[in-house]
Amino acid sequence: MKKTIRFVLNGYEVTAEVAAHKMLLEVLREGFQLTGAKEGCGQGECGACTVLVDGLSVNSCLYPILEVEGRSVTTVEGLLGEGNRLHPIQEAMVENGGIQCGFCTPGIVMSAKALLDEIPLPDEARIRRGIGGHLCRCTGYVQIVESIRRAAEKMAAQGERDS
Ligand code: FES
Ligand code: FES
């Protein structure tokens, strides 16, 4: 059975005709061609599908699409600035070797975004907890943690300069 849902996607109001049993990840990738969020395990265990719903990170592979009605969804594509400028978290991942194959990266970037929105300068333990739901088969996590730490510092410095 199909239903019409309305929600905000990366800052724009959208309407979608969706099969009621679908998960958010499928609709993002197949309905909106937003392929940043990946399907790894499909079972809530790897974090590759992470997006933000009302600012909180969720596993979109397990998030029923009908729950999205009236909410605000942000995907990694929604983090790009003017002229497709990378978000500071993405820049830091590039600069500090936080990316190898890149499969886990969009999900980790979204969890890092949720973390830094809540705690602008988290310590290492808090960063590790913030990405605790993500599996990365390549990096060994050290560079990812370092990338998030440096992004936090840069964003805090930028905030001070702008204030
Ligand atoms: S694909 Fe969603 S948690 Fe692995
Ligand atoms: S960079 Fe390859 S899975 Fe994380």
Side-chain angles (χ1 to χ4, degrees):
M1 189 179 60
K2 292 231 172 190
K3 289 207 163 198
T4 302
I5 57 162
R6 288 178 187 76
F7 61 106
V8 174
L9 179 56
N10 293 334
Y12 296 94
E13 285 192 20
V14 295
T15 302
E17 185 97 346
V18 295
H21 67 277
K22 294 258 183 191
M23 297 294 148
L24 173 58
L25 179 63
E26 290 174 88
V27 175
L28 290 173
R29 291 181 59 88
E30 292 163 18
F32 290 94
Q33 284 74 52
L34 293 173
T35 54
K38 306 283 185 270
E39 177 156 11
C41 64
Q43 298 178 353
E45 292 183 359
C46 74
C49 62
T50 300
V51 301
L52 306 186
V53 176
D54 289 344
L56 300 177
S57 61
V58 304
N59 289 327
S60 63
C61 69
L62 295 182
Y63 201 95
I65 189 60
L66 296 186
E67 296 285 316
V68 163
E69 172 73 37
R71 298 185 191 274
S72 176
V73 176
T74 308
T75 70
V76 73
E77 290 88 349
L79 295 191
L80 292 176
E82 227 170 90
N84 283 341
R85 188 168 31 83
L86 293 180
H87 186 278
I89 298 169
Q90 294 171 304
E91 277 180 354
M93 294 282 274
V94 173
E95 287 166 6
N96 297 286
I99 305 171
Q100 285 185 29
C101 80
F103 192 82
C104 68
T105 310
I108 289 179
V109 166
M110 297 315 289
S111 282
K113 167 86 169 78
L115 173 65
L116 299 188
D117 284 347
E118 188 194 349
I119 306 171
L121 280 173
D123 62 16
E124 182 179 332
R126 190 62 188 80
I127 293 173
R128 285 186 179 274
R129 273 214 305 286
I131 59 165
H134 293 268
L135 297 179
C136 174
R137 63 194 167 188
C138 308
T139 65
Y141 303 99
V142 173
Q143 299 98 317
I144 293 174
V145 172
E146 180 64 7
S147 300
I148 296 170
R149 193 183 65 73
R150 293 214 188 183
E153 287 172 0
K154 197 168 175 183
M155 289 162 69
Q158 186 71 47
E160 273 172 29
R161 269 204 300 280
D162 293 346
S163 61

PDB file of all heavy atoms in Angstrom, residues 5 14 37 70 74-75 77 79 85 93 96 108 116 121 126:
ATOM      1  N   ILE A   5       3.850  11.020   1.930  1.00  0.00           N
ATOM      2  CA  ILE A   5       4.414  11.635   3.133  1.00  0.00           C
ATOM      3  C   ILE A   5       5.085  12.957   2.763  1.00  0.00           C
ATOM      4  O   ILE A   5       5.551  13.141   1.638  1.00  0.00           O
ATOM      5  CB  ILE A   5       5.437  10.730   3.853  1.00  0.00           C
ATOM      6  CG1 ILE A   5       6.578  10.346   2.915  1.00  0.00           C
ATOM      7  CG2 ILE A   5       4.785   9.492   4.421  1.00  0.00           C
ATOM      8  CD1 ILE A   5       7.780   9.851   3.664  1.00  0.00           C
ATOM      9  N   VAL A  14       9.684  18.297   0.958  1.00  0.00           N
ATOM     10  CA  VAL A  14       9.479  17.330  -0.123  1.00  0.00           C
ATOM     11  C   VAL A  14       8.241  16.488   0.169  1.00  0.00           C
ATOM     12  O   VAL A  14       7.795  16.374   1.318  1.00  0.00           O
ATOM     13  CB  VAL A  14      10.701  16.378  -0.296  1.00  0.00           C
ATOM     14  CG1 VAL A  14      11.928  17.138  -0.740  1.00  0.00           C
ATOM     15  CG2 VAL A  14      10.973  15.591   0.977  1.00  0.00           C
ATOM     16  N   ALA A  37      24.301   7.907   1.976  1.00  0.00           N
ATOM     17  CA  ALA A  37      24.049   6.893   3.012  1.00  0.00           C
ATOM     18  C   ALA A  37      24.119   5.519   2.346  1.00  0.00           C
ATOM     19  O   ALA A  37      23.517   5.300   1.303  1.00  0.00           O
ATOM     20  CB  ALA A  37      22.684   7.114   3.651  1.00  0.00           C
ATOM     21  N   GLY A  70       6.609  14.807   8.597  1.00  0.00           N
ATOM     22  CA  GLY A  70       6.692  16.040   9.385  1.00  0.00           C
ATOM     23  C   GLY A  70       8.038  16.313  10.023  1.00  0.00           C
ATOM     24  O   GLY A  70       8.206  17.319  10.712  1.00  0.00           O
ATOM     25  N   THR A  74      18.436  15.045   7.412  1.00  0.00           N
ATOM     26  CA  THR A  74      19.665  15.575   6.809  1.00  0.00           C
ATOM     27  C   THR A  74      20.562  14.405   6.434  1.00  0.00           C
ATOM     28  O   THR A  74      20.846  13.538   7.266  1.00  0.00           O
ATOM     29  CB  THR A  74      20.425  16.499   7.785  1.00  0.00           C
ATOM     30  OG1 THR A  74      19.526  17.483   8.293  1.00  0.00           O
ATOM     31  CG2 THR A  74      21.591  17.193   7.080  1.00  0.00           C
ATOM     32  N   THR A  75      20.987  14.404   5.181  1.00  0.00           N
ATOM     33  CA  THR A  75      21.933  13.389   4.715  1.00  0.00           C
ATOM     34  C   THR A  75      23.288  14.060   4.508  1.00  0.00           C
ATOM     35  O   THR A  75      23.405  15.283   4.562  1.00  0.00           O
ATOM     36  CB  THR A  75      21.473  12.773   3.377  1.00  0.00           C
ATOM     37  OG1 THR A  75      21.611  13.770   2.350  1.00  0.00           O
ATOM     38  CG2 THR A  75      20.026  12.304   3.445  1.00  0.00           C
ATOM     39  N   GLU A  77      24.757  14.648   1.904  1.00  0.00           N
ATOM     40  CA  GLU A  77      24.688  15.609   0.792  1.00  0.00           C
ATOM     41  C   GLU A  77      24.247  16.984   1.287  1.00  0.00           C
ATOM     42  O   GLU A  77      24.586  18.008   0.683  1.00  0.00           O
ATOM     43  CB  GLU A  77      23.702  15.122  -0.275  1.00  0.00           C
ATOM     44  CG  GLU A  77      24.155  13.903  -1.068  1.00  0.00           C
ATOM     45  CD  GLU A  77      23.776  12.571  -0.424  1.00  0.00           C
ATOM     46  OE1 GLU A  77      23.331  12.565   0.751  1.00  0.00           O
ATOM     47  OE2 GLU A  77      23.924  11.537  -1.104  1.00  0.00           O
ATOM     48  N   LEU A  79      25.175  18.493   3.893  1.00  0.00           N
ATOM     49  CA  LEU A  79      26.205  19.218   4.657  1.00  0.00           C
ATOM     50  C   LEU A  79      27.033  20.158   3.792  1.00  0.00           C
ATOM     51  O   LEU A  79      27.747  21.014   4.307  1.00  0.00           O
ATOM     52  CB  LEU A  79      27.166  18.230   5.344  1.00  0.00           C
ATOM     53  CG  LEU A  79      26.597  17.332   6.425  1.00  0.00           C
ATOM     54  CD1 LEU A  79      27.749  16.636   7.151  1.00  0.00           C
ATOM     55  CD2 LEU A  79      25.732  18.090   7.407  1.00  0.00           C
ATOM     56  N   ARG A  85      31.084  23.365  -1.214  1.00  0.00           N
ATOM     57  CA  ARG A  85      32.215  23.359  -0.288  1.00  0.00           C
ATOM     58  C   ARG A  85      31.993  22.275   0.768  1.00  0.00           C
ATOM     59  O   ARG A  85      30.889  22.130   1.307  1.00  0.00           O
ATOM     60  CB  ARG A  85      32.301  24.748   0.382  1.00  0.00           C
ATOM     61  CG  ARG A  85      33.527  24.972   1.234  1.00  0.00           C
ATOM     62  CD  ARG A  85      33.646  26.457   1.596  1.00  0.00           C
ATOM     63  NE  ARG A  85      32.367  27.138   1.706  1.00  0.00           N
ATOM     64  CZ  ARG A  85      31.578  27.130   2.781  1.00  0.00           C
ATOM     65  NH1 ARG A  85      31.930  26.483   3.862  1.00  0.00           N
ATOM     66  NH2 ARG A  85      30.428  27.789   2.784  1.00  0.00           N
ATOM     67  N   MET A  93      38.381  15.021   7.654  1.00  0.00           N
ATOM     68  CA  MET A  93      38.552  13.597   7.323  1.00  0.00           C
ATOM     69  C   MET A  93      39.514  13.432   6.150  1.00  0.00           C
ATOM     70  O   MET A  93      40.351  12.524   6.140  1.00  0.00           O
ATOM     71  CB  MET A  93      37.183  12.975   6.969  1.00  0.00           C
ATOM     72  CG  MET A  93      36.207  12.928   8.118  1.00  0.00           C
ATOM     73  SD  MET A  93      36.529  11.604   9.291  1.00  0.00           S
ATOM     74  CE  MET A  93      35.670  10.257   8.524  1.00  0.00           C
ATOM     75  N   ASN A  96      43.209  14.453   7.364  1.00  0.00           N
ATOM     76  CA  ASN A  96      43.863  13.661   8.418  1.00  0.00           C
ATOM     77  C   ASN A  96      43.795  12.151   8.183  1.00  0.00           C
ATOM     78  O   ASN A  96      43.962  11.372   9.129  1.00  0.00           O
ATOM     79  CB  ASN A  96      43.245  14.011   9.774  1.00  0.00           C
ATOM     80  CG  ASN A  96      43.485  15.465  10.127  1.00  0.00           C
ATOM     81  OD1 ASN A  96      44.585  15.850  10.489  1.00  0.00           O
ATOM     82  ND2 ASN A  96      42.454  16.293   9.983  1.00  0.00           N
ATOM     83  N   ILE A 108      29.756   8.095   9.370  1.00  0.00           N
ATOM     84  CA  ILE A 108      30.564   8.607  10.480  1.00  0.00           C
ATOM     85  C   ILE A 108      30.515  10.135  10.511  1.00  0.00           C
ATOM     86  O   ILE A 108      30.398  10.747  11.587  1.00  0.00           O
ATOM     87  CB  ILE A 108      32.011   8.081  10.383  1.00  0.00           C
ATOM     88  CG1 ILE A 108      32.013   6.589  10.715  1.00  0.00           C
ATOM     89  CG2 ILE A 108      32.943   8.856  11.321  1.00  0.00           C
ATOM     90  CD1 ILE A 108      33.361   5.915  10.647  1.00  0.00           C
ATOM     91  N   LEU A 116      29.050  16.971  17.458  1.00  0.00           N
ATOM     92  CA  LEU A 116      29.610  18.325  17.614  1.00  0.00           C
ATOM     93  C   LEU A 116      28.510  19.378  17.750  1.00  0.00           C
ATOM     94  O   LEU A 116      28.741  20.430  18.343  1.00  0.00           O
ATOM     95  CB  LEU A 116      30.545  18.667  16.453  1.00  0.00           C
ATOM     96  CG  LEU A 116      31.770  17.760  16.286  1.00  0.00           C
ATOM     97  CD1 LEU A 116      32.713  18.307  15.232  1.00  0.00           C
ATOM     98  CD2 LEU A 116      32.511  17.544  17.605  1.00  0.00           C
ATOM     99  N   LEU A 121      33.259  20.665  21.817  1.00  0.00           N
ATOM    100  CA  LEU A 121      34.659  20.224  21.974  1.00  0.00           C
ATOM    101  C   LEU A 121      34.716  18.946  22.823  1.00  0.00           C
ATOM    102  O   LEU A 121      35.139  18.972  23.977  1.00  0.00           O
ATOM    103  CB  LEU A 121      35.491  21.326  22.631  1.00  0.00           C
ATOM    104  CG  LEU A 121      35.953  22.464  21.707  1.00  0.00           C
ATOM    105  CD1 LEU A 121      36.620  23.573  22.505  1.00  0.00           C
ATOM    106  CD2 LEU A 121      36.904  21.939  20.629  1.00  0.00           C
ATOM    107  N   ARG A 126      34.667  10.760  24.484  1.00  0.00           N
ATOM    108  CA  ARG A 126      33.317  11.114  24.019  1.00  0.00           C
ATOM    109  C   ARG A 126      33.220  10.959  22.499  1.00  0.00           C
ATOM    110  O   ARG A 126      32.180  10.541  21.978  1.00  0.00           O
ATOM    111  CB  ARG A 126      32.993  12.560  24.453  1.00  0.00           C
ATOM    112  CG  ARG A 126      31.553  12.954  24.247  1.00  0.00           C
ATOM    113  CD  ARG A 126      30.609  12.089  25.087  1.00  0.00           C
ATOM    114  NE  ARG A 126      29.209  12.323  24.775  1.00  0.00           N
ATOM    115  CZ  ARG A 126      28.571  11.788  23.727  1.00  0.00           C
ATOM    116  NH1 ARG A 126      29.204  11.004  22.879  1.00  0.00           N
ATOM    117  NH2 ARG A 126      27.289  12.030  23.534  1.00  0.00           N
TER     118      ARG A 126
END
